[in-house]
Amino acid sequence: MTYPLLEARDISRTFSPHEDLIGKVVRTALRQPIPAHVRALSNVSLALHTGEVLGVVGESGCGKSTLGRILAGILQPSSGSLAFQGTPFSAMDPLTRASTFLKIQMIFQDPMSSLNPRKRVSDLIAEAPLVHGLLDPKDRDRFVHDALTRVGLDPQTQSRFPHQFSGGQRQRINIARALAVNPEILICDESVAALDVSIQAQILNVFMALKEQGDLSFVFISHDLGVVEHLCDRVAILYLGQIVEVGTVDALFQAPQHPYTQALLKEIPRIGAGKRRFNPIRGEIPSPLSPPSGCPFHPRCPHSTPECTQRMPGLQEVGHEHLAACHLLHGTPSHSLTELSK
Ligand code: SF4
């Protein structure tokens, strides 16, 4: 049996507001209610396969960055589990768990805040492989030279500090730093969103080149469906912490099934679309502090029925490797996303 490279099983994550002792005493004295918990993710199941680029798409606040951090081991899920090649992280001993999480590296949106401004680029790149015993100190210079060349940066710049680079160059340094520990998975969280459009294209080309080399798998988190269509093999659409549709890029872009996906796709600017007016999705994403009952999309859905306000739709198979959660669809109920993506 072949297992996915990385698999999230029924991951949920809630955040509780921090309350110190004084705050608790004041709240109790004033008879104020206990602060509500934020449910950022609800029962999310996903599988990433070797060599695959999996896109995770949704509006701001839908939980996609939380999901990325959980997949990278930076955040713990409140419930559910994460498995690497079929072995749950919870079943690994601490050393194995740490070395396995080293195979999963994350690249963040803001390239400057991800880099220590006091360190030279050579130190930033060589630090992790030296600490983890992956690099012999005597090979350091050649290693940094090769790492910078791989991401299209001039190796002569290795003694500079991060502030001496442009935004796009800093993101290349972040990519070089992530690749320095020989990862198997890169989690890219809006990694091109903060860059100018021309620089975005350069960084996307770096990702495309890494993808073509075939020894890396990606989780590409973005709100930009145009970029996702260009780069990804499969896409999961996240709405208010839940997956509402997942499928191959071809299936999802040519025959979107969920009304939310359909609305998102209508908003992609296309050359030749003329001066058509855009029809934004009505309303705003509801607060995760008080999510709507039933289908989370019902307050904004043009097809909402009374059933939608009462009952949560489950994911169902609507095509080959294509699942969606909507009462209007009549596919085969599915309880496991990962089963279908094998
Ligand atoms: Fe719209 Fe109802 Fe489908 Fe939700 S279940 S997407 S509200 S039609």
Side-chain angles (χ1 to χ4, degrees):
M1 184 174 182
T2 42
Y3 290 103
L5 185 58
L6 185 65
E7 187 180 6
R9 300 170 182 160
D10 285 328
I11 295 271
S12 296
R13 171 73 204 203
T14 50
F15 291 98
S16 310
H18 174 73
E19 194 178 36
D20 58 18
L21 185 61
I22 296 173
K24 198 170 179 180
V25 170
V26 171
R27 178 177 57 73
T28 310
L30 297 176
R31 297 189 181 180
Q32 290 174 342
I34 297 170
H37 293 220
V38 175
R39 196 167 177 83
L41 290 175
S42 281
N43 302 319
V44 170
S45 295
L46 268 182
L48 174 73
H49 299 278
T50 306
E52 183 181 49
V53 183
L54 174 66
V56 176
V57 172
E59 293 169 281
S60 299
C62 70
K64 53 191 190 304
S65 291
T66 302
L67 177 61
R69 283 169 163 78
I70 289 174
L71 294 177
I74 298 169
L75 263 182
Q76 288 295 313
S78 305
S79 63
S81 67
L82 201 62
F84 189 85
Q85 292 178 328
T87 308
F89 281 91
S90 55
M92 296 176 189
D93 62 70
L95 269 180
T96 310
R97 188 161 52 237
S99 64
T100 308
F101 271 128
L102 197 61
K103 295 176 187 170
I104 308 171
Q105 292 294 309
M106 191 155 183
I107 299 170
F108 296 91
Q109 177 173 356
D110 181 357
M112 188 61 191
S113 61
S114 312
L115 298 170
N116 185 336
R118 296 183 178 192
K119 291 200 170 178
R120 296 181 190 277
V121 168
S122 55
D123 297 328
L124 289 166
I125 290 173
E127 184 179 42
L130 284 171
V131 166
H132 291 285
L134 302 172
L135 174 64
D136 191 328
K138 70 178 181 346
D139 296 330
R140 184 181 180 280
D141 289 347
R142 197 164 55 82
F143 180 84
V144 173
H145 180 285
D146 292 349
L148 289 172
T149 306
R150 189 177 183 190
V151 296
L153 278 176
D154 181 356
Q156 305 299 327
T157 59
Q158 62 176 281
S159 57
R160 292 189 194 164
F161 291 94
H163 74 269
Q164 294 174 291
F165 292 86
S166 68
Q169 288 172 323
R170 281 184 212 127
Q171 200 59 304
R172 286 174 193 260
I173 296 167
N174 277 314
I175 297 169
R177 203 167 60 133
L179 295 177
V181 291
N182 296 325
E184 292 185 31
I185 300 170
L186 279 188
I187 310 234
C188 307
D189 183 9
E190 298 279 14
S191 304
V192 295
L195 305 174
D196 292 342
V197 175
S198 61
I199 309 296
Q200 276 188 12
Q202 293 174 16
I203 300 299
L204 286 173
N205 284 338
V206 173
F207 286 136
M208 292 290 282
L210 292 171
K211 179 187 173 185
E212 277 157 22
Q213 287 166 16
D215 44 6
L216 269 174
S217 307
F218 293 80
V219 176
F220 196 82
I221 297 168
S222 179
H223 65 274
D224 188 336
L225 276 165
V227 169
V228 166
E229 184 181 15
H230 186 64
L231 197 69
C232 298
D233 301 308
R234 281 193 307 128
V235 189
I237 306 289
L238 212 55
Y239 186 79
L240 213 59
Q242 295 176 37
I243 290 183
V244 296
E245 187 162 3
V246 61
T248 61
V249 163
D250 287 346
L252 202 130
F253 278 76
Q254 280 165 28
Q257 298 293 310
H258 195 279
Y260 178 58
T261 315
Q262 292 167 355
L264 285 178
L265 288 176
K266 271 191 202 151
E267 296 313 309
I268 302 180
R270 302 267 185 201
I271 292 172
K275 291 186 179 175
R276 76 173 168 85
R277 291 179 68 84
F278 291 107
N279 297 307
I281 305 171
R282 64 176 185 170
E284 291 189 3
I285 191 165
S287 167
L289 280 168
S290 54
S293 60
C295 171
F297 190 53
H298 86 255
R300 307 170 76 187
C301 181
H303 313 294
S304 176
T305 64
E307 184 189 15
C308 303
T309 62
Q310 291 156 14
R311 204 166 61 83
M312 174 95 76
L315 279 162
Q316 48 190 311
E317 192 175 1
V318 291
H320 179 61
E321 290 192 18
H322 191 176
L323 301 169
C326 173
H327 290 311
L328 296 185
L329 301 170
H330 301 290
T332 312
S334 169
H335 301 294
S336 169
L337 276 168
T338 52
E339 262 172 36
L340 280 155
S341 57
K342 278 174 192 163

